[in-house]
Amino acid sequence: RDRARIDPRLATLGPRPDPRCARLGGMRVTMLLADFAQVSDGKLTVVGGGWSLTGPEAVPFGIAILIRVPWDQANQRHVMRLELLDADGHAVEVDTDDGMQPVVFFDDVPFEVGRPAGLKPGTPLDFPVAVNSGPVLLEPGIYEWRLTIDGEADEEWRLPFSVRSEPEEPIV
């Protein structure tokens, strides 16, 4: 039952997308920030989903992504990238053992969605992906997760969020 070829830790096929999702070359994408996301039995499980404000302390988080692949793009290799950008569209970098590195979850990761036997021609195929991360310490401000597929992006394939600053101490 090899319906999708990708690292099994990343995704399997699953549910239908939200009608508000974006399109590019026929592909449709829905993304959601969550406390935790998981792909199991071809379905996304999202816990604490739908937030866009966090901080000031860094917390673990998940990103649920649903890619709807058109029939004519199934059985073809695609490549995806998910990166964190600041309000100016620049890559966010964090200090690692190897020095400053951009925050990228999928760095040109290939995927391919196969057509199952007996599927009616023209039927799009769902491809859910779940990403979970430990805390990422960010300065207060506006950020976004940006998804690209096959080197292309859509303005709607972004997931903006804000990091609050520490509350000011009241003057007594």
mmCIF file of all heavy atoms in Angstrom, residues 103-137:
data_model
loop_
_atom_site.group_PDB
_atom_site.id
_atom_site.type_symbol
_atom_site.label_atom_id
_atom_site.label_comp_id
_atom_site.label_asym_id
_atom_site.label_seq_id
_atom_site.Cartn_x
_atom_site.Cartn_y
_atom_site.Cartn_z
ATOM 1 N N VAL A 103 16.198 28.517 10.185
ATOM 2 C CA VAL A 103 15.227 27.551 10.695
ATOM 3 C C VAL A 103 14.452 27.002 9.504
ATOM 4 O O VAL A 103 13.625 27.690 8.914
ATOM 5 C CB VAL A 103 14.274 28.204 11.719
ATOM 6 C CG1 VAL A 103 13.290 27.176 12.258
ATOM 7 C CG2 VAL A 103 15.065 28.842 12.852
ATOM 8 N N VAL A 104 14.758 25.772 9.131
ATOM 9 C CA VAL A 104 14.135 25.107 7.989
ATOM 10 C C VAL A 104 13.749 23.700 8.424
ATOM 11 O O VAL A 104 14.592 22.955 8.923
ATOM 12 C CB VAL A 104 15.098 25.033 6.777
ATOM 13 C CG1 VAL A 104 14.440 24.286 5.621
ATOM 14 C CG2 VAL A 104 15.523 26.415 6.346
ATOM 15 N N PHE A 105 12.464 23.339 8.259
ATOM 16 C CA PHE A 105 12.035 21.992 8.623
ATOM 17 C C PHE A 105 12.160 21.019 7.463
ATOM 18 O O PHE A 105 12.559 19.901 7.640
ATOM 19 C CB PHE A 105 10.602 21.995 9.151
ATOM 20 C CG PHE A 105 10.507 22.461 10.564
ATOM 21 C CD1 PHE A 105 9.473 23.273 10.961
ATOM 22 C CD2 PHE A 105 11.443 22.106 11.506
ATOM 23 C CE1 PHE A 105 9.373 23.711 12.270
ATOM 24 C CE2 PHE A 105 11.364 22.529 12.813
ATOM 25 C CZ PHE A 105 10.317 23.336 13.194
ATOM 26 N N PHE A 106 11.756 21.418 6.292
ATOM 27 C CA PHE A 106 11.924 20.576 5.115
ATOM 28 C C PHE A 106 12.837 21.341 4.183
ATOM 29 O O PHE A 106 12.465 22.391 3.685
ATOM 30 C CB PHE A 106 10.595 20.307 4.412
ATOM 31 C CG PHE A 106 9.568 19.642 5.276
ATOM 32 C CD1 PHE A 106 8.336 20.214 5.473
ATOM 33 C CD2 PHE A 106 9.845 18.443 5.893
ATOM 34 C CE1 PHE A 106 7.384 19.609 6.255
ATOM 35 C CE2 PHE A 106 8.902 17.832 6.687
ATOM 36 C CZ PHE A 106 7.664 18.415 6.869
ATOM 37 N N ASP A 107 14.018 20.819 3.945
ATOM 38 C CA ASP A 107 14.972 21.494 3.081
ATOM 39 C C ASP A 107 15.027 20.731 1.771
ATOM 40 O O ASP A 107 15.844 19.838 1.590
ATOM 41 C CB ASP A 107 16.336 21.572 3.748
ATOM 42 C CG ASP A 107 17.280 22.505 3.035
ATOM 43 O OD1 ASP A 107 16.870 23.125 2.031
ATOM 44 O OD2 ASP A 107 18.433 22.620 3.484
ATOM 45 N N ASP A 108 14.087 21.047 0.883
ATOM 46 C CA ASP A 108 13.963 20.365 -0.410
ATOM 47 C C ASP A 108 13.767 18.862 -0.233
ATOM 48 O O ASP A 108 14.493 18.044 -0.796
ATOM 49 C CB ASP A 108 15.155 20.689 -1.311
ATOM 50 C CG ASP A 108 15.202 22.165 -1.673
ATOM 51 O OD1 ASP A 108 14.128 22.789 -1.712
ATOM 52 O OD2 ASP A 108 16.298 22.692 -1.903
ATOM 53 N N VAL A 109 12.756 18.512 0.547
ATOM 54 C CA VAL A 109 12.400 17.112 0.801
ATOM 55 C C VAL A 109 11.498 16.611 -0.327
ATOM 56 O O VAL A 109 10.466 17.217 -0.618
ATOM 57 C CB VAL A 109 11.675 16.971 2.165
ATOM 58 C CG1 VAL A 109 11.118 15.578 2.343
ATOM 59 C CG2 VAL A 109 12.623 17.331 3.289
ATOM 60 N N PRO A 110 11.885 15.518 -0.977
ATOM 61 C CA PRO A 110 11.050 14.997 -2.069
ATOM 62 C C PRO A 110 9.841 14.232 -1.539
ATOM 63 O O PRO A 110 9.885 13.631 -0.474
ATOM 64 C CB PRO A 110 11.998 14.055 -2.817
ATOM 65 C CG PRO A 110 13.009 13.649 -1.808
ATOM 66 C CD PRO A 110 13.133 14.779 -0.830
ATOM 67 N N PHE A 111 8.743 14.297 -2.295
ATOM 68 C CA PHE A 111 7.564 13.479 -2.004
ATOM 69 C C PHE A 111 6.877 13.130 -3.316
ATOM 70 O O PHE A 111 7.019 13.826 -4.320
ATOM 71 C CB PHE A 111 6.606 14.174 -1.032
ATOM 72 C CG PHE A 111 5.863 15.354 -1.605
ATOM 73 C CD1 PHE A 111 4.571 15.219 -2.098
ATOM 74 C CD2 PHE A 111 6.441 16.616 -1.624
ATOM 75 C CE1 PHE A 111 3.876 16.313 -2.607
ATOM 76 C CE2 PHE A 111 5.761 17.714 -2.122
ATOM 77 C CZ PHE A 111 4.469 17.564 -2.620
ATOM 78 N N GLU A 112 6.169 12.037 -3.301
ATOM 79 C CA GLU A 112 5.420 11.590 -4.467
ATOM 80 C C GLU A 112 4.154 10.917 -3.984
ATOM 81 O O GLU A 112 4.198 10.051 -3.117
ATOM 82 C CB GLU A 112 6.252 10.608 -5.293
ATOM 83 C CG GLU A 112 5.587 10.168 -6.571
ATOM 84 C CD GLU A 112 6.497 9.318 -7.445
ATOM 85 O OE1 GLU A 112 7.727 9.504 -7.383
ATOM 86 O OE2 GLU A 112 5.970 8.475 -8.181
ATOM 87 N N VAL A 113 3.031 11.333 -4.530
ATOM 88 C CA VAL A 113 1.743 10.772 -4.157
ATOM 89 C C VAL A 113 1.283 9.876 -5.304
ATOM 90 O O VAL A 113 1.167 10.331 -6.438
ATOM 91 C CB VAL A 113 0.710 11.883 -3.880
ATOM 92 C CG1 VAL A 113 -0.633 11.291 -3.506
ATOM 93 C CG2 VAL A 113 1.227 12.804 -2.787
ATOM 94 N N GLY A 114 1.033 8.615 -4.983
ATOM 95 C CA GLY A 114 0.599 7.662 -5.997
ATOM 96 C C GLY A 114 -0.908 7.581 -6.095
ATOM 97 O O GLY A 114 -1.624 7.894 -5.153
ATOM 98 N N ARG A 115 -1.385 7.153 -7.254
ATOM 99 C CA ARG A 115 -2.816 6.960 -7.464
ATOM 100 C C ARG A 115 -3.183 5.534 -7.066
ATOM 101 O O ARG A 115 -2.702 4.584 -7.673
ATOM 102 C CB ARG A 115 -3.182 7.170 -8.923
ATOM 103 C CG ARG A 115 -2.981 8.554 -9.428
ATOM 104 C CD ARG A 115 -3.478 8.658 -10.873
ATOM 105 N NE ARG A 115 -2.947 9.857 -11.484
ATOM 106 C CZ ARG A 115 -2.206 9.874 -12.583
ATOM 107 N NH1 ARG A 115 -1.917 8.764 -13.212
ATOM 108 N NH2 ARG A 115 -1.769 11.015 -13.061
ATOM 109 N N PRO A 116 -4.064 5.368 -6.084
ATOM 110 C CA PRO A 116 -4.480 4.016 -5.721
ATOM 111 C C PRO A 116 -5.330 3.389 -6.834
ATOM 112 O O PRO A 116 -6.027 4.090 -7.560
ATOM 113 C CB PRO A 116 -5.299 4.201 -4.450
ATOM 114 C CG PRO A 116 -5.363 5.642 -4.176
ATOM 115 C CD PRO A 116 -4.621 6.387 -5.229
ATOM 116 N N ALA A 117 -5.270 2.078 -6.934
ATOM 117 C CA ALA A 117 -6.057 1.355 -7.936
ATOM 118 C C ALA A 117 -7.540 1.634 -7.742
ATOM 119 O O ALA A 117 -8.024 1.725 -6.614
ATOM 120 C CB ALA A 117 -5.791 -0.146 -7.819
ATOM 121 N N GLY A 118 -8.241 1.820 -8.845
ATOM 122 C CA GLY A 118 -9.681 2.002 -8.804
ATOM 123 C C GLY A 118 -10.149 3.424 -8.543
ATOM 124 O O GLY A 118 -11.347 3.678 -8.519
ATOM 125 N N LEU A 119 -9.226 4.359 -8.364
ATOM 126 C CA LEU A 119 -9.616 5.745 -8.109
ATOM 127 C C LEU A 119 -10.100 6.375 -9.414
ATOM 128 O O LEU A 119 -9.475 6.225 -10.462
ATOM 129 C CB LEU A 119 -8.428 6.537 -7.562
ATOM 130 C CG LEU A 119 -8.719 7.950 -7.086
ATOM 131 C CD1 LEU A 119 -9.624 7.917 -5.855
ATOM 132 C CD2 LEU A 119 -7.417 8.662 -6.736
ATOM 133 N N LYS A 120 -11.223 7.071 -9.346
ATOM 134 C CA LYS A 120 -11.805 7.697 -10.525
ATOM 135 C C LYS A 120 -10.842 8.755 -11.087
ATOM 136 O O LYS A 120 -10.328 9.591 -10.345
ATOM 137 C CB LYS A 120 -13.129 8.351 -10.159
ATOM 138 C CG LYS A 120 -13.835 8.988 -11.331
ATOM 139 C CD LYS A 120 -15.161 9.593 -10.906
ATOM 140 C CE LYS A 120 -15.785 10.300 -12.091
ATOM 141 N NZ LYS A 120 -17.034 10.948 -11.738
ATOM 142 N N PRO A 121 -10.551 8.730 -12.405
ATOM 143 C CA PRO A 121 -9.669 9.728 -13.006
ATOM 144 C C PRO A 121 -10.151 11.148 -12.700
ATOM 145 O O PRO A 121 -11.343 11.428 -12.730
ATOM 146 C CB PRO A 121 -9.758 9.432 -14.506
ATOM 147 C CG PRO A 121 -10.092 7.974 -14.567
ATOM 148 C CD PRO A 121 -11.006 7.731 -13.386
ATOM 149 N N GLY A 122 -9.193 12.026 -12.378
ATOM 150 C CA GLY A 122 -9.501 13.411 -12.056
ATOM 151 C C GLY A 122 -9.630 13.678 -10.565
ATOM 152 O O GLY A 122 -9.692 14.823 -10.141
ATOM 153 N N THR A 123 -9.658 12.616 -9.755
ATOM 154 C CA THR A 123 -9.794 12.785 -8.308
ATOM 155 C C THR A 123 -8.489 13.288 -7.702
ATOM 156 O O THR A 123 -7.443 12.672 -7.884
ATOM 157 C CB THR A 123 -10.163 11.440 -7.644
ATOM 158 O OG1 THR A 123 -11.353 10.938 -8.245
ATOM 159 C CG2 THR A 123 -10.360 11.604 -6.143
ATOM 160 N N PRO A 124 -8.520 14.417 -6.983
ATOM 161 C CA PRO A 124 -7.291 14.884 -6.327
ATOM 162 C C PRO A 124 -6.927 13.973 -5.157
ATOM 163 O O PRO A 124 -7.785 13.288 -4.591
ATOM 164 C CB PRO A 124 -7.646 16.292 -5.846
ATOM 165 C CG PRO A 124 -9.123 16.363 -5.844
ATOM 166 C CD PRO A 124 -9.638 15.315 -6.780
ATOM 167 N N LEU A 125 -5.645 13.981 -4.797
ATOM 168 C CA LEU A 125 -5.144 13.122 -3.725
ATOM 169 C C LEU A 125 -4.639 13.975 -2.571
ATOM 170 O O LEU A 125 -3.913 14.950 -2.784
ATOM 171 C CB LEU A 125 -4.013 12.245 -4.261
ATOM 172 C CG LEU A 125 -4.477 11.331 -5.408
ATOM 173 C CD1 LEU A 125 -3.339 11.018 -6.334
ATOM 174 C CD2 LEU A 125 -5.085 10.084 -4.826
ATOM 175 N N ASP A 126 -5.016 13.614 -1.355
ATOM 176 C CA ASP A 126 -4.612 14.359 -0.173
ATOM 177 C C ASP A 126 -3.304 13.828 0.376
ATOM 178 O O ASP A 126 -3.068 12.620 0.416
ATOM 179 C CB ASP A 126 -5.688 14.264 0.909
ATOM 180 C CG ASP A 126 -6.989 14.925 0.486
ATOM 181 O OD1 ASP A 126 -6.943 15.877 -0.308
ATOM 182 O OD2 ASP A 126 -8.053 14.484 0.955
ATOM 183 N N PHE A 127 -2.462 14.752 0.829
ATOM 184 C CA PHE A 127 -1.152 14.417 1.375
ATOM 185 C C PHE A 127 -0.935 15.220 2.658
ATOM 186 O O PHE A 127 -0.528 16.376 2.612
ATOM 187 C CB PHE A 127 -0.073 14.739 0.333
ATOM 188 C CG PHE A 127 1.301 14.344 0.743
ATOM 189 C CD1 PHE A 127 1.657 13.009 0.843
ATOM 190 C CD2 PHE A 127 2.253 15.301 1.025
ATOM 191 C CE1 PHE A 127 2.942 12.641 1.226
ATOM 192 C CE2 PHE A 127 3.537 14.948 1.407
ATOM 193 C CZ PHE A 127 3.875 13.616 1.507
ATOM 194 N N PRO A 128 -1.247 14.626 3.834
ATOM 195 C CA PRO A 128 -1.052 15.357 5.089
ATOM 196 C C PRO A 128 0.380 15.241 5.601
ATOM 197 O O PRO A 128 1.033 14.217 5.434
ATOM 198 C CB PRO A 128 -2.026 14.669 6.048
ATOM 199 C CG PRO A 128 -2.106 13.280 5.541
ATOM 200 C CD PRO A 128 -1.932 13.366 4.049
ATOM 201 N N VAL A 129 0.839 16.314 6.221
ATOM 202 C CA VAL A 129 2.185 16.369 6.784
ATOM 203 C C VAL A 129 2.085 17.008 8.164
ATOM 204 O O VAL A 129 1.378 17.998 8.338
ATOM 205 C CB VAL A 129 3.125 17.223 5.896
ATOM 206 C CG1 VAL A 129 4.518 17.295 6.486
ATOM 207 C CG2 VAL A 129 3.157 16.703 4.470
ATOM 208 N N ALA A 130 2.781 16.435 9.131
ATOM 209 C CA ALA A 130 2.815 17.009 10.474
ATOM 210 C C ALA A 130 4.260 17.259 10.874
ATOM 211 O O ALA A 130 5.127 16.421 10.652
ATOM 212 C CB ALA A 130 2.147 16.069 11.470
ATOM 213 N N VAL A 131 4.504 18.428 11.453
ATOM 214 C CA VAL A 131 5.828 18.814 11.937
ATOM 215 C C VAL A 131 5.674 19.204 13.397
ATOM 216 O O VAL A 131 4.744 19.938 13.741
ATOM 217 C CB VAL A 131 6.359 20.036 11.166
ATOM 218 C CG1 VAL A 131 7.719 20.447 11.684
ATOM 219 C CG2 VAL A 131 6.402 19.779 9.688
ATOM 220 N N ASN A 132 6.566 18.725 14.241
ATOM 221 C CA ASN A 132 6.574 19.129 15.644
ATOM 222 C C ASN A 132 7.976 19.580 16.001
ATOM 223 O O ASN A 132 8.958 19.041 15.506
ATOM 224 C CB ASN A 132 6.123 17.982 16.542
ATOM 225 C CG ASN A 132 4.657 17.688 16.352
ATOM 226 O OD1 ASN A 132 3.810 18.447 16.789
ATOM 227 N ND2 ASN A 132 4.351 16.603 15.657
ATOM 228 N N SER A 133 8.057 20.584 16.872
ATOM 229 C CA SER A 133 9.345 21.142 17.235
ATOM 230 C C SER A 133 9.377 21.464 18.717
ATOM 231 O O SER A 133 8.350 21.794 19.317
ATOM 232 C CB SER A 133 9.595 22.431 16.436
ATOM 233 O OG SER A 133 10.775 23.072 16.869
ATOM 234 N N GLY A 134 10.563 21.412 19.255
ATOM 235 C CA GLY A 134 10.772 21.933 20.596
ATOM 236 C C GLY A 134 10.725 23.447 20.528
ATOM 237 O O GLY A 134 10.556 24.032 19.456
ATOM 238 N N PRO A 135 10.866 24.119 21.655
ATOM 239 C CA PRO A 135 10.806 25.581 21.666
ATOM 240 C C PRO A 135 11.886 26.219 20.785
ATOM 241 O O PRO A 135 13.011 25.747 20.740
ATOM 242 C CB PRO A 135 11.057 25.935 23.135
ATOM 243 C CG PRO A 135 10.725 24.699 23.898
ATOM 244 C CD PRO A 135 11.054 23.556 22.993
ATOM 245 N N VAL A 136 11.512 27.264 20.080
ATOM 246 C CA VAL A 136 12.437 28.074 19.289
ATOM 247 C C VAL A 136 12.359 29.482 19.863
ATOM 248 O O VAL A 136 11.307 30.131 19.789
ATOM 249 C CB VAL A 136 12.065 28.084 17.788
ATOM 250 C CG1 VAL A 136 12.997 29.007 17.017
ATOM 251 C CG2 VAL A 136 12.093 26.672 17.218
ATOM 252 N N LEU A 137 13.438 29.937 20.460
ATOM 253 C CA LEU A 137 13.461 31.248 21.099
ATOM 254 C C LEU A 137 13.519 32.339 20.037
ATOM 255 O O LEU A 137 14.465 32.410 19.252
ATOM 256 C CB LEU A 137 14.659 31.359 22.042
ATOM 257 C CG LEU A 137 14.726 32.622 22.894
ATOM 258 C CD1 LEU A 137 13.476 32.761 23.763
ATOM 259 C CD2 LEU A 137 15.963 32.596 23.775
#
